[in-house]
Amino acid sequence: MSGHEQTRWRAIGGAKMAWREWDGEFVVFNPRTGSTHLLSEFAGEMLLGLLASDEGITAESLAARQADSSAGTDDSERSIAIASALAEFARLDLVETVTL
Amino acid sequence: MRPHIADLMATLRSTPQSLLAFTPARWEATIHAARRANLLSRLAADLDDAGLLAQVPGAPRAHLDAALIVARAQREAVLREVALICAALAGVGIDVVLLKGAAYVLADLPVARGRVFSDVDILVPGETLAAVEAALMLHGWSTTHHDAYDQRYYRQWMHELPPLRHNVRSTVVDVHHAILPLTARVKPPSAKLLAAARPVEGDARVRVLCPVDMVLHSATHLFQNEELTQGLRDIADLDGLLRHFGPQAGFWDELPRRAAELGLARPLYYGLRFASRFMDTPVPADVLRVAASGRPPRLVRALMDVLYDRALRLDEEAAAGWLSPLARRMLYVRAHWLRMPPTLLARHLSVKAFRRQPDPA
Amino acid sequence: MIVADLTAAALTRTLAGPGLRLRTGPVVTRIQSSLPTVARGIALHYAEHPTVDEDVFADFHVRVGTPRNVRRWLRPQAHFFFDGWSPFTPLPLAQGFPMLEWGLNWCVSAHCHQYLIIHAAVVERNGRALVLPAPPGSGKSTLCAGLVSRGWRLLSDELTLIDFEFGNVVPLPRPVSLKNASIDAICGFAPDAIVGPPVHDTVKGSVAHMKPPATSVRRASEPASPRWIVLPRFEKGVADRLAPLSKARAFMQLADHAFNYSMHGSRGFELLAQLVEACGCFELAYGDLDASVRLLNGLADDR
């Protein structure tokens, strides 16, 4: 459990991912898996954060990034949402942890 | 008159420009013949490589473009499947040895260009079969051919597990433990094949058969395969492999030697003979001579030639001689005969004929 | 030259012999058949369609008939042959014409990957196309037939072809298939429409086809820019209503309804994104043909 907060995440093959956003909803194409996904605004913003950094980004930084757009939710709710989204992204082969 | 697709491909190789003189009627016959032989994307790839695709008239060109799109999509699907299979088998502690199409793709061989695929074939040591099957099922693959008879057919008599289909992706992996069935008259030892397997450049997870073994497997697959509808495509594969490996030092010396070592002299003989005949594959004369030691008695040989010739020629439904479907049937029986001793064969064929066929993979 | 230029006898002879070389939009098909129902079906539904000579490249060779071996004496059934082999299970001889139609759909959807192919009806007005993607039972064909009877140009009833270069809809005007209750509904809604005799007891129930208007066929070489995407859902008695659909959701629906989306990878993604970007996207609750046609006309009039 220790060091979990320091785990860095990034999108796998992010450079080749294609995405669009309309009215807060995102569609994403992952050429690695050939799958296309529909993401909510929250999940989509997270993915953008993951795409933006090659060195990877921690869950904490992701939370901070989205503090503005998810204002009104408390910190622990946001952390839970981020953690479960990351787990789902990993299951979909969209993200990986960065080994230092 | 419809061109024989192998003639076409030989023509293409020698004078690609000749295609530019094709009339619409000739294009029509060509596209249809290529599609029947499952070689449309291969034709498109050859034209593309020769820089001629842009000069094909629009209407036939659309079919060639479409075929290339399919080939590219399938290639990516194969790469994805191989990655997922490797991930699934990571804990089993074996090298994943790829066979046939998947091997050609991973090894980046010219013959992979424009190829269409159905399943991914892998070769594993016989003693790891249970562990491999378990690992794949853990990762979402399920067995097919649930009929008890078919299960026994595969496990007891054949050289592979019943095909495993993935629950979500519906892709199929064929797990082989030998390249010929357990009941075949010839038993090339898998351990030798696995020992000679080599890694592919840039990918530590998979291996492929060494060049001579790859060629021998292709020749064996062609002439002892139960389903002969792919005949021309398989000869095109063999031709592609021979042209690619031929120039490598020591290849032509090693090929007949290894064939003898593995007990595959006869398939090699047929493979070289038919490839050179149908595809004009350049085989050194002395190699053909040495390979001829694997040839069957003269009468059988003549009959086999006639049978294969007729089976491989595309018979258009309207123009078919009555012999062709018959010829295919005789070859089908022969392929079974080589794999299973005659007593088992009769039983298998009669059961197969009267049982309801399972859904195709 | 069009099919109607052939006498019934000449058409029968051509179909039974070298084959009728029929153009439907960008596709030329050589059709052979000795079945009288097929000849009659073609004469009626394809009367305005152009035929081409043997020196024009034919994309597909199909035959609807009995097998050319001893089996044909055992049980007379219609088979669909494509390049000499049979991709489908055989059907009763009476279903020869619907079988041809289903077979022609298969030819395009299985092979014409130079386009993005969406399982949708598509019609055009004032140069702008309305795409109606939908699974069977959604009512899309009835709506399509209804719209076409009220002045919309038929681009296609089943297969919407999008070209990669410009993102336009490429017309493929062919007979509109109608099932069961839709047959009477359309005959009532459009008494002047030409609908062939129903064929009963098919896997889809009773099936008939509406002949496409001559103008739709004559304008088959004019593509159209897509402007609206409407997902219809038929429910008897429901109040007809158009509701906006988010672009992202419309995108996913289109990807779901495309035959070959995944084959095209990121190119397919980009094309669908472009399509969705250019279109107003809606869901249509459809209970009454007249009311829904008016709603869709209104959409077109609103620009």
Side-chain angles (χ1 to χ4, degrees), chain B residues 253-274:
Chain B
D253 292 328
E254 177 64 7
L255 187 60
R257 194 206 64 72
R258 181 69 159 174
E261 183 190 342
L262 296 178
L264 296 173
R266 192 172 289 193
L268 175 65
Y269 169 72
Y270 279 130
L272 292 177
R273 187 182 167 89
F274 284 102

Side-chain angles (χ1 to χ4, degrees), chain A residues 20-68:
Chain A
R20 289 288 193 290
E21 181 264 327
W22 295 290
D23 298 321
E25 290 177 323
F26 288 74
V27 292
V28 181
F29 175 72
N30 182 3
R32 227 174 88 85
T33 57
S35 297
T36 305
H37 308 283
L38 171 67
L39 301 180
S40 66
E41 180 163 18
F42 186 83
E45 290 290 333
M46 269 182 69
L47 185 65
L48 292 186
L50 291 156
L51 284 169
S53 56
D54 285 329
E55 333 78 53
I57 183 170
T58 61
E60 207 175 59
S61 308
L62 279 170
R65 227 177 146 267
Q66 297 189 225
D68 302 327

Side-chain angles (χ1 to χ4, degrees), chain B residues 2 24-25 27-29 31-33 35-36 59-60 62-63 65-67 69-70 72-73 76 316-318 322, chain C residues 21 30 54-61 63 68-70 81-85 111-114 262-264 267:
Chain B
R2 293 192 160 204
W27 271 118
E28 187 173 322
I31 297 289
H32 289 256
R35 180 174 280 129
R36 278 293 299 280
H63 293 270
D65 286 342
I69 287 168
V70 174
R72 185 171 53 224
E76 285 174 15
E316 205 248 338
E317 192 218 348
W322 285 97
Chain C
R21 297 169 78 90
R30 186 190 80 186
E54 279 186 2
D55 59 2
V56 173
F57 177 91
D59 298 281
F60 303 117
H61 292 168
R63 187 167 79 83
R68 284 202 175 123
N69 60 30
V70 293
F81 292 102
F82 174 82
D83 273 344
W85 68 279
H111 299 100
C112 292
H113 302 300
Q114 66 272 35
S262 51
M263 202 178 278
H264 289 282
R267 260 178 105 226

Side-chain angles (χ1 to χ4, degrees), chain C residues 187-199:
Chain C
C187 290
F189 186 77
D192 293 337
I194 297 174
V195 177
V199 175

Side-chain angles (χ1 to χ4, degrees), chain C residues 5 33 37 57 64 70 116 157 248 271 302-303:
Chain C
D5 293 336
S33 182
T37 51
F57 177 91
V64 179
V70 293
L116 185 70
D157 159 47
L271 186 64
D302 279 347
R303 333 194 97 252

